[in-house]
Amino acid sequence: MRTPPSGSRVAGTGKTGRALLSGVLAICLTGSMALTIEPADAAPTPPVIPSQSQVDAAKQAAAAKAAQVAAIEQQLAGANARLEQLGRETGIAAEKYNGAVYRLTKAKAEAAAAASRAAKAAQTLADQRRQIGRFAAASYQGGGDLAQLGPLLSADGPQQLLDSAGAARSVSQAMQGSYLRFTATQVVSNAFKVQADQAVTKVQAATDEAAKAKKAAEAAEANQASAVAAIGVQRTQQITQLAALRSTSYQVADQRQRGLEELARQRAAALAAKKAEELRKRIAAKEAAERARAAAEQARKDREEREEAAKHGTKPPKKKPKPKTDRPGGDGGSSTPNRKGAAAAIAFALSQLGEPYVWAAAGPDSWDCSGLTMKAWKKAGVSLPHYSVAQYEQVRHISEDELRPGDLIFWAENANDPGTIFHVAMYLGGGRMVHAPRTGRPVTIDSVYYWEDPDFFGRP
């Protein structure tokens, strides 16, 4: 029996093996596919359901976050109010210093006048003392027994004695009158000396007051500056916290806060504008009533003149044309001596717009409130002191409805006490004013009601 060739055996064995391997792979693939396909009725994954305690905790966290946001927003609003309050306090301190300087200046002037009066009285007293000395010497030289017997031995005899006796009586009377004048002058001189001493004491007290007021103003200014810096840092920190609490960027949080503040400013400005418009209407109504009264009075006078002329058969006198009234500021106004001056004062004040506020400053490139109004009205030929209280004391007091351009508006700590005035501005008309507000704000135009409502009004 022949053995098959080796090649044929190997080949046959290879085919059989490949067929077997293919079958095994097919079975494996089929099994793996069967494993990856889930049955149609498999159960879904159960959802995650937070417990009631977890829900309550989330609500509490949200509420706490909202409360924190509200607290920070309230702090930011309070910071803005604090800045305004600091400006008010600094303005009060600055005007108190102006008042102390004003009183010191007056005290020095009074002391100089008292010293001059005392010096003149002392000089008069010295002159009268010398005069009395001359009278005394003359009386002594003409007195004594020998002096009285001398005329009897002379050629003129008794007549000369009588003449000399009359002269002695005249000298005695003159001496007595001079002594009385000396006594009166001595009383006056002593009184003037006491006044001069008191004036010196008053100057020293006013000097001390001015020094204290200056320190207080400097302290208020420094306190405001440091507070402004501190509030700026706090503001940045608080806005950063807001951004974190709201999960927003700092820029967005800052933009939102500035937007809220701007909205509040716009609302305040709208309210101020409403009040200003109401003021304008009240002023216009008062002016119209004044014109109506003036027209009625003029009509009455014209009627009386016509009736009087008719009685006498004459013609009524011709009327002279009335001069045009100056009404600066576009707000109308009565014809008063200071209306043209008001236009000059307004023009000066407006030319200082944008210049910085510096307490106790009165130009030429920086101003405080009373320094600006003082220099403005000086341009109109009206002298006012550098102190808002004294300015109110020296102007004609008017009501709010009587305001005309150029008039002065005053704010006080106590609305019933003009002695507590601490700020002054100049009215422009239409419910607007120009003033030097406070540190950090330059000379500017504002609504009369942009801040606190004013308390007093005056016309230079």
Side-chain angles (χ1 to χ4, degrees), residues 338-363:
N338 276 339
R339 288 302 89 199
K340 288 186 178 179
I346 290 171
F348 179 86
L350 292 178
S351 69
Q352 314 309 313
L353 288 174
E355 294 187 353
Y357 174 97
V358 175
W359 66 275

Side-chain angles (χ1 to χ4, degrees), residues 252-269:
V252 174
D254 183 58
Q255 184 178 7
R256 171 181 165 77
Q257 183 59 34
R258 291 182 184 278
L260 292 173
E261 291 171 1
E262 175 61 19
L263 182 60
R265 188 198 66 77
Q266 289 177 2
R267 288 172 178 168

Side-chain angles (χ1 to χ4, degrees), residues 69-95:
V69 168
I72 293 175
E73 288 178 340
Q74 187 174 4
Q75 290 172 3
L76 287 167
N80 292 335
R82 176 62 179 154
L83 288 175
E84 287 296 330
Q85 180 63 24
L86 284 168
R88 187 178 191 273
E89 291 172 0
T90 303
I92 290 172
E95 275 305 288

Side-chain angles (χ1 to χ4, degrees), residues 11 13 33 36 61 68 80 91 110 113 126 129 153 156 159 192 219 253 303 321-322 340 361 382 403 423 456:
T13 304
M33 289 178 63
T36 58
Q68 288 177 324
N80 292 335
E110 291 170 0
R129 184 181 286 111
L153 304 175
D156 293 333
Q159 183 62 44
F192 283 165
R303 184 176 63 256
K322 293 183 179 180
K340 288 186 178 179
V382 177
L403 277 173
H423 188 62
F456 302 98

